[in-house]
Amino acid sequence: MMDYNNKIIKLPALRVEQKLQDTVQFAGNEVTLTCRVNKDGASARWWHGDVEVQNNNKFSMVQDGMKFVLRIRNVQGSEEGFYKIKVKYYNEEVGSTAMVTVKENLRVSRTFQDVKASAGQEVILKCEVNREDVTAEWKKDDKLLTEGRNVVMEQRGKEFILKIKHAQKSDTGFYTCLVKSGSEEVKISAEVAVEEFDREWRSINFNPQTRNKLEAELTQLRPQLEPLRILLYGPIGSGKSSFINSIDIVFKGKISTGALADAAGAGISFTRRFQTHKIEKKGTSEFLPFVLNDVMGLEDEKSKGVHPDDIMSILKGHVKENYLFEPSAPLSEEDPDYKRDPSPTDKVHCLVCLLPADKISFLTDDIFTKMRSIREQASDMGIPQVVVMTKPDTACQVVKSDLRKIYYSMKIKEKMQECSNRLGVPMNCIFPVKNYHEVTELVLEVDVLILNALSTIIHFANDYARQNSHFLG
């Protein structure tokens, strides 16, 4: 209050015109707190919590008339907290308080490393950042990953987890976790390499003893019916005739050609007639107690390839030797090649589907629909079934380099699983086999694979004949 010529003038009280504002800033940046009052000539003191702030390398206090500024250089977590200013003008005092929050810059606190895994194992990638106000996305080879049956993504606060269940060769790649918060982002990357199985997933011994034992068992077999009849079917180019030739080679002990096979791969079925192939015992004029029948290959269109009705007639023993397949006109009861009263040995005792490993993924749904229909009808008749998967060396470079690695190869297992899924045959009824079509000498590994598959086929056929002798006869 002032007196000018006996007039009393009342001055305004000291007050804060501009209050301190709560501030959020990233660590390492500068924080500026500003307070303004309504009177010039006031003085101020600053506190951080209960500690008075002093001018130094960290804090700078500046007064510009009625404005008071506190600058905090290179702010860190230790400077976080409440800041208070007290402004004094004579016996008047006002103040203001604000909260300074120091936000850490987004950074990786735990990374993941390159991973080498064996096929079938679970791969887990874990990383962690220093904050929880984040989201993340996973990429493989720069392509966004999505969750699926074998891929699981989790966030647990600051931690991010990617799980690849039952890793396969196709899971090999460069994986990145991109973590974001507002405009900030960090990424963590590593390579995942899925290698072949470190042990066999199906046991087989590639030695002369195994080969000789399998050959002897088949040679000495005295089946319920003789001969047992095995029918081979499958798409064109699947190696049906080559499989028969390969069996013949194994038992003759030398390269030969019993059933002519198409080596040109012309895209049309080489087999035109229904023929029975007998396998001769080595060094004798006797035959093994089973026969093999090959048929025209299956094709997409209804008017091409063997007609499924012809296969049903063969299964029931109604087709005579040398019957000429007509895709558009299956065998009828009036046809002279129709056998009205088949004997038990005319009927089929095991149905074998041959599929090329390198072409399974490219076979059309129409082909598989035909095969599934044939398989289901054969199942209704109780006929056992086996799948022989040919050309494994073409489908897998590991197997091409070393046939002994066939049951270490994840590619072969993937192809067998695809066979099982698309055709509906269990894995333990699927056998990868390499036919004789390039080499001019016998190969132990080729022999063992062929004999192992053939042994299962013949034992299935014999079991069927024994269990169904009451109606086969």
Side-chain angles (χ1 to χ4, degrees):
M1 184 177 297
M2 300 184 69
D3 186 352
Y4 290 99
N5 298 323
N6 298 319
K7 290 183 179 180
I8 298 175
I9 301 173
K10 190 175 182 180
L11 296 177
L14 181 65
R15 66 176 183 275
V16 176
E17 298 281 346
Q18 180 182 344
K19 294 180 180 180
L20 300 180
Q21 299 295 315
D22 291 345
T23 302
V24 178
Q25 187 57 273
F26 289 110
N29 291 341
E30 183 176 274
V31 171
T32 300
L33 298 175
T34 302
C35 177
R36 185 188 297 273
V37 295
N38 64 331
K39 290 183 180 182
D40 199 358
S43 62
R45 295 167 70 184
W46 293 85
W47 277 264
H48 176 204
D50 295 328
V51 179
E52 187 171 359
V53 176
Q54 305 295 326
N55 271 313
N56 53 34
N57 292 335
K58 174 65 68 173
F59 298 101
S60 172
M61 295 174 287
V62 177
Q63 180 177 353
D64 181 11
M66 295 178 285
K67 183 171 75 173
F68 300 88
V69 178
L70 173 65
R71 290 189 176 92
I72 310 171
R73 304 182 186 94
N74 187 26
V75 68
Q76 299 298 324
S78 59
E79 283 87 59
E80 189 172 76
F82 285 101
Y83 284 79
K84 178 171 60 178
I85 185 173
K86 290 183 178 180
V87 182
K88 191 170 184 180
Y89 183 81
Y90 293 102
N91 62 342
E92 295 181 283
E93 186 176 275
V94 291
S96 181
T97 303
M99 177 67 181
V100 172
T101 302
V102 180
K103 197 173 182 181
E104 284 190 277
N105 291 307
L106 186 60
R107 59 180 172 79
V108 178
S109 55
R110 185 178 64 181
T111 187
F112 47 76
Q113 305 297 323
D114 292 347
V115 175
K116 286 187 177 181
S118 297
Q121 289 183 340
E122 182 177 62
V123 172
I124 300 178
L125 300 178
K126 289 183 180 181
C127 63
E128 190 173 332
V129 294
N130 61 326
R131 302 203 322 246
E132 293 190 4
D133 60 327
V134 289
T135 58
E137 61 185 25
W138 289 87
K139 292 184 178 182
K140 178 196 170 194
D141 298 329
D142 291 328
K143 294 182 179 178
L144 192 65
L145 271 178
T146 55
E147 283 198 308
R149 186 173 61 180
N150 287 323
V151 177
V152 177
M153 302 172 194
E154 297 180 39
Q155 178 177 358
R156 299 174 184 171
K158 297 182 270 187
E159 185 180 53
F160 295 91
I161 304 167
L162 174 70
K163 294 180 182 179
I164 305 171
K165 300 179 180 179
H166 311 295
Q168 301 298 324
K169 186 73 172 177
S170 56
D171 294 314
T172 294
F174 195 72
Y175 287 78
T176 298
C177 181
L178 183 62
V179 184
K180 297 180 180 180
S181 178
S183 60
E184 292 183 285
E185 65 178 40
V186 291
K187 63 181 179 180
I188 308 97
S189 299
E191 186 174 7
V192 172
V194 184
E195 301 171 336
E196 303 300 332
F197 292 96
D198 57 2
R199 59 184 178 181
E200 290 179 305
W201 44 269
R202 180 182 287 180
S203 180
I204 190 168
N205 293 316
F206 290 105
N207 54 49
Q209 292 82 3
T210 299
R211 184 210 176 283
N212 295 339
K213 180 183 177 183
L214 289 168
E215 181 183 16
E217 286 176 355
L218 290 166
T219 301
Q220 298 165 15
L221 179 70
R222 296 293 178 265
Q224 179 75 22
L225 287 174
E226 191 171 337
L228 296 169
R229 188 172 297 275
I230 313 301
L231 176 62
L232 312 182
Y233 80 109
I236 57 172
S238 57
K240 298 182 296 299
S241 298
S242 292
F243 183 54
I244 295 172
N245 286 340
S246 297
I247 294 171
D248 191 52
I249 288 168
V250 170
F251 284 96
K252 281 184 177 177
K254 62 181 181 179
I255 302 298
S256 64
T257 52
L260 291 177
D262 181 16
I268 57 174
S269 182
F270 191 74
T271 302
R272 305 292 297 178
R273 290 184 179 275
F274 178 68
Q275 292 183 327
T276 299
H277 301 274
K278 299 179 180 180
I279 306 299
E280 194 173 281
K281 293 181 181 179
K282 182 167 55 179
T284 71
S285 58
E286 297 179 1
F287 294 100
L288 291 170
F290 58 85
V291 295
L292 301 157
N293 287 112
D294 184 12
V295 298
M296 192 178 196
L298 289 162
E299 297 189 48
D300 284 323
E301 299 177 29
K302 289 184 179 180
S303 59
K304 291 183 178 181
V306 64
H307 198 288
D309 287 353
D310 275 344
I311 292 180
M312 291 302 105
S313 295
I314 294 169
L315 293 177
K316 296 172 183 177
H318 291 304
V319 180
K320 291 182 180 179
E321 191 75 6
N322 289 318
Y323 163 67
L324 180 65
F325 292 106
E326 290 292 344
S328 59
L331 185 70
S332 66
E333 292 185 15
E334 292 74 31
D335 197 293
D337 285 316
Y338 186 85
K339 189 180 293 185
R340 293 187 176 277
D341 298 307
S343 69
T345 57
D346 289 327
K347 299 173 183 178
V348 171
H349 308 111
C350 186
L351 178 64
V352 179
C353 176
L354 281 89
L355 289 171
D358 61 331
K359 297 290 193 302
I360 291 170
S361 300
F362 303 103
L363 293 175
T364 65
D365 290 339
D366 287 343
I367 291 287
F368 274 102
T369 297
K370 285 185 178 181
M371 289 192 293
R372 286 186 73 97
S373 175
I374 292 166
R375 194 191 76 76
E376 288 166 4
Q377 291 182 71
S379 295
D380 290 342
M381 297 166 66
I383 298 173
Q385 296 163 57
V386 169
V387 173
V388 170
M389 194 175 75
T390 59
K391 304 181 182 179
D393 53 323
T394 307
C396 177
Q397 191 62 42
V398 172
V399 175
K400 186 174 183 179
S401 300
D402 185 358
L403 198 55
R404 289 173 178 260
K405 295 290 187 183
I406 194 161
Y407 288 128
Y408 286 86
S409 168
M410 71 180 102
K411 175 63 72 174
I412 296 304
K413 191 171 185 181
E414 286 174 1
K415 292 297 181 182
M416 289 171 62
Q417 189 63 60
E418 188 174 1
C419 275
S420 177
N421 294 342
R422 298 189 72 181
L423 198 55
V425 174
M427 287 281 282
N428 60 3
C429 293
I430 302 174
F431 296 87
V433 164
K434 177 177 167 62
N435 285 330
Y436 278 108
H437 61 91
E438 293 177 337
V439 297
T440 56
E441 295 181 353
L442 296 183
V443 178
L444 174 64
E445 292 78 12
V446 174
D447 285 3
V448 170
L449 289 173
I450 290 170
L451 288 168
N452 184 53
L454 183 62
S455 176
T456 300
I457 292 167
I458 299 306
H459 282 102
F460 278 8
N462 192 38
D463 289 345
Y464 171 73
R466 183 171 57 251
Q467 293 166 9
N468 296 278
S469 58
H470 57 285
F471 68 81
L472 282 173

